[in-house]
Amino acid sequence: LQFFSWWSSYNEAINYLASVPKYRIQATEIARQQGLLNKTKEKGKNRRSKEEIREEEEEIIKDIIKNKIDIKGGYQKPKIYDILLFQILLAPFYWCKYIVWYCSWIYCFTIKGQEYGVEQKLYIIRRYMKMSQSQFDSLEDHQKETFLERQLWIRENYEVYKREQEEELKKKMAMDPRWKRYRRWMKNEGPGRLTFIDD
């Protein structure tokens, strides 16, 4: 049930992306370049109706979107190993793998004092940001490069970066007309109050 529910969500996401003009135009262009939509029209007995041709084109566009777009989060392509049953069965393996990894981390970077590689730096940054692996993977490459340039794996640098982001968010909220209206409404009227006084 879990797997089929995820598969249904994934298909919904693909159908939605196929209806968005931006992605549809890109997928159509790729299909034309690959010669998938430029097929010559059949004649005689092999001739198909316009509806059949349209359905085939729709399937081609959806296949290209499936192959070219990497969907993250709750609508990503389901994998059999992500199902709860498999997670429970594989839990001892994952625990052993994590213990081995953690011991090697302590030995290499705490005891031997080796310098962090790019992967280790990004891992520390991700931990500071309290993001899951899938959330962090969905970030743009230029954002990750910025994190590395600013040396955010060092706690002091990350704290400075965090304060800057909070200040920037406050400025955006102060300039946003919707937030201004909301603050004005809270100040003047506040949320509605329920009273039980008889008229």
Side-chain angles (χ1 to χ4, degrees):
L1 283 172
Q2 188 182 17
F3 183 78
F4 287 113
S5 169
W6 281 355
W7 193 260
S8 172
S9 298
Y10 174 70
N11 283 328
E12 281 176 29
I14 294 296
N15 289 335
Y16 170 74
L17 290 172
S19 68
V20 175
K22 175 186 169 184
Y23 299 112
R24 189 173 184 84
I25 290 166
Q26 287 177 357
T28 307
E29 191 61 37
I30 291 166
R32 283 204 182 99
Q33 287 170 3
Q34 293 176 355
L36 299 172
L37 295 180
N38 296 334
K39 293 180 179 174
T40 54
K41 293 179 181 177
E42 297 93 343
K43 294 179 180 178
K45 292 180 181 179
N46 295 332
R47 192 171 183 184
R48 294 174 300 162
S49 67
K50 287 183 180 178
E51 187 65 28
E52 287 173 330
I53 294 167
R54 195 180 65 76
E55 283 176 12
E56 187 184 338
E57 286 177 0
E58 193 69 25
E59 285 302 313
I60 290 167
I61 288 168
K62 284 180 185 176
D63 284 340
I64 288 169
I65 289 172
K66 283 178 189 176
N67 294 329
K68 296 290 179 186
I69 294 179
D70 186 20
I71 302 170
K72 302 284 185 187
Y75 294 97
Q76 68 187 8
K77 191 170 186 177
K79 295 174 187 162
I80 199 82
Y81 296 112
D82 291 336
I83 294 173
L84 181 61
L85 177 65
F86 278 93
Q87 292 291 311
I88 291 167
L89 291 173
L90 294 170
F93 168 73
Y94 289 134
W95 272 107
C96 291
K97 193 175 171 185
Y98 175 75
I99 290 166
V100 169
W101 172 85
Y102 189 70
C103 291
S104 68
W105 180 279
I106 289 172
Y107 176 73
C108 290
F109 304 113
T110 308
I111 297 169
K112 287 182 76 179
Q114 291 180 2
E115 285 191 23
Y116 296 127
V118 174
E119 278 184 40
Q120 289 79 21
K121 289 173 183 176
L122 289 173
Y123 170 75
I124 294 167
I125 293 166
R126 180 174 70 80
R127 290 292 302 272
Y128 286 160
M129 292 182 165
K130 298 183 174 82
M131 295 173 103
S132 69
Q133 186 66 52
S134 59
Q135 287 174 320
F136 196 75
D137 289 343
S138 66
L139 294 175
E140 298 288 332
D141 288 337
H142 67 86
Q143 285 179 294
K144 293 177 186 175
E145 285 169 18
T146 305
F147 298 159
L148 293 170
E149 283 169 16
R150 295 196 59 177
Q151 298 183 347
L152 298 188
W153 66 90
I154 300 167
R155 175 63 93 172
E156 294 78 21
N157 294 349
Y158 175 71
E159 292 299 331
V160 171
Y161 173 80
K162 187 180 175 185
R163 281 196 295 274
E164 286 174 6
Q165 292 298 308
E166 286 169 357
E167 288 298 320
E168 197 175 312
L169 183 62
K170 283 178 188 175
K171 283 179 187 173
K172 280 183 184 174
M173 287 171 67
M175 299 302 290
D176 189 352
R178 287 178 292 183
W179 274 103
K180 286 181 182 176
R181 277 199 304 270
Y182 176 73
R183 284 196 302 273
R184 214 169 26 245
W185 176 77
M186 286 296 286
K187 185 179 175 184
N188 297 333
E189 300 172 28
R193 294 176 181 83
L194 291 174
T195 58
F196 298 97
I197 299 168
D198 293 329
D199 291 334

